[in-house]
Amino acid sequence: MTKLEQIEKSITELSPEELKAFAAWFEALRAAQWDKQIEADAKAGRLDKLAAQALADHRAGRTRPH
């Protein structure tokens, strides 16, 4: 049995309360990973082109209040 299969099996055996706690933990983990990736992309300049386009669109009046 692979590590992933073991994890999947363990998750299916959780009580509803444990599953809820696991889901919250996993969501927080994924959010932290996303934040770390966005930060790395921003520092590397990978988002500069998108930011410049968004600002240009806003200055040109192609945006609206949400």
Side-chain angles (χ1 to χ4, degrees), residues 21-41:
F22 171 76
W25 170 83
F26 190 71
E27 184 177 337
L29 174 68
R30 296 288 292 150
Q33 290 174 334
W34 174 260
D35 290 346
K36 186 177 178 180
Q37 183 63 54
I38 290 293
E39 185 177 337
D41 288 346

Side-chain angles (χ1 to χ4, degrees), residues 7-8 10-12 14-29:
I7 292 168
E8 290 171 343
S10 294
I11 291 170
T12 63
L14 295 175
S15 70
E17 296 82 20
E18 291 171 323
L19 184 57
K20 184 177 179 181
F22 171 76
W25 170 83
F26 190 71
E27 184 177 337
L29 174 68

